[in-house]
């Protein structure tokens, strides 16, 4: 993984994008099991013979993803149900609920995973407090081709977020009582001017990511769903 220092202060990252900039539209390519859509609600896991993960995002646009947003590896005996949506403004929201259908408490680690279209050329420009901002680098400190990503995994410090060459991973330690459900919210925001990724797109991704950390977009989720969320504070989801 390559890391660079943005030529932007945090205050600069919070200003609006340049006048006249026009953002691309992220793709409605959430895998439903039979095709793609802007929404998936149903069980987790994969389908055969493709072995594709239900609710994962295939591309996102401009090859930003090579299949993103699913749980990689064992769930420790928990049952996964997913609600994945492309919200307005190029934001993918992943609401994942883990239910313990057994008779004893389960403690396990689950990993929210993504294969990035940057293919090992990641430039990480912001990393902290529940947010990572990354793009595909040109080897000289500038973003090229793919959209700039703001990847948000929570604001309670309950997860561990990392980008290694080609891959994104957010790991969460869960303890779920018998008959109980614990849920996780993850977000991926894509910023890209139609003329190519610009410095203003890095600023936009940083601003949007910080906004989602502080106040996650929970429109359309019920109070009962939000009551099970472990990685965002209840106060931030009001």
């Amino acid at each position: 993984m390559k890391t660079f220092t943005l030529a932007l202060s945090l205050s600069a990252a919070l200003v609006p994008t340049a006048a006249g900039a026009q953002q691309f539209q992220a793709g409605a390519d959430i895998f439903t099991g039979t095709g793609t859509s802007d929404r998936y609600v149903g069980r987790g896991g994969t389908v055969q013979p493709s072995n594709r993960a239900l609710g994962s995002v295939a591309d996102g646009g401009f090859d930003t993803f090579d299949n993103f947003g699913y749980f990689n590896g064992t769930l420790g005996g928990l049952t996964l149900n997913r609600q994945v949506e492309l919200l307005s403004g190029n934001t993918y929201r992943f609401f994942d609920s883990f239910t313990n259908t057994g008779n004893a408490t389960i403690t396990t680690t689950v990993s929210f995973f993504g294969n990035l279209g940057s293919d090992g050329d990641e430039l990480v420009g912001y990393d902290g407090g529940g947010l990572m901002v990354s793009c595909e680098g040109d080897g000289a400190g500038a973003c090229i081709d793919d959209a700039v990503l703001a990847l948000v995994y929570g604001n309670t410090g309950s997860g561990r977020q990392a980008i290694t060459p080609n891959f994104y991973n957010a790991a969460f330690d869960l303890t779920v009582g018998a008959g109980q459900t614990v849920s996780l919210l993850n977000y991926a925001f894509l910023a890209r001017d139609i003329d190519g990724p610009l410095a203003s797109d890095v600023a936009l991704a940083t601003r949007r990511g910080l906004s989602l950390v502080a106040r996650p977009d929970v429109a359309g989720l019920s109070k009962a769903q939000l009551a099970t969320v472990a990685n965002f504070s209840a106060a931030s989801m009001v």
Side-chain angles (χ1 to χ4, degrees), residues 5 22 28 41 54 57 68 74 76 88 109 112 121 139 190 215 225:
T5 301
Q22 182 178 350
V41 179
L54 293 162
V57 180
F68 181 91
T74 180
S88 62
T109 299
F112 182 83
D121 291 325
L190 282 62
R215 187 71 63 179
Q225 286 176 304

Side-chain angles (χ1 to χ4, degrees), residues 68-218:
F68 181 91
Y70 58 97
F71 285 86
N72 188 32
T74 180
L75 301 180
L78 299 173
T79 298
L80 172 61
N81 282 282
R82 315 201 71 193
Q83 182 171 326
V84 183
E85 296 159 286
L86 174 58
L87 307 178
S88 62
N90 289 355
T91 301
Y92 292 96
R93 181 177 68 192
F94 303 83
F95 180 86
D96 292 292
S97 296
F98 300 85
T99 300
N100 180 355
T101 60
N103 298 317
T105 296
I106 293 175
T107 297
T108 190
T109 299
V110 297
S111 296
F112 182 83
F113 183 81
N115 188 332
L116 303 175
S118 39
D119 297 330
D121 291 325
E122 292 77 34
L123 292 174
V124 178
Y126 190 99
D127 181 3
L131 168 66
M132 294 188 81
V133 175
S134 178
C135 69
E136 179 178 0
D138 66 352
C143 299
I144 57 170
D145 298 335
D146 301 357
V148 181
L149 284 169
L151 302 168
V152 176
Y153 80 106
N155 61 19
T156 62
S158 60
R160 301 176 298 281
Q161 188 180 38
I163 289 178
T164 55
N166 202 38
F167 300 111
Y168 171 76
N169 184 71
F172 301 89
D173 298 325
L174 301 182
T175 297
V176 187
Q180 301 299 306
T181 295
V182 172
S183 300
L184 298 171
L185 269 172
N186 285 276
Y187 295 87
F189 169 71
L190 282 62
R192 189 187 192 278
D193 190 87
I194 58 173
D195 293 325
L198 307 173
S200 59
D201 296 318
V202 178
L204 175 60
T206 305
R207 183 175 71 250
R208 175 61 171 160
L210 290 170
S211 175
L212 286 168
V213 170
R215 187 71 63 179
D217 187 337
V218 296

Side-chain angles (χ1 to χ4, degrees), residues 15-74:
V15 300
T17 55
Q22 182 178 350
Q23 288 292 300
F24 90 112
Q25 175 59 53
D29 55 354
I30 299 167
F31 182 58
T32 64
T34 57
T36 57
S37 178
D38 61 358
R39 190 171 192 262
Y40 171 75
V41 179
R43 69 175 181 87
T46 60
V47 296
Q48 301 304 324
S50 66
N51 201 39
R52 290 181 65 182
L54 293 162
S56 61
V57 180
D59 182 278
F62 290 99
D63 194 34
T64 301
F65 300 132
D66 290 334
N67 202 24
F68 181 91
Y70 58 97
F71 285 86
N72 188 32
T74 180

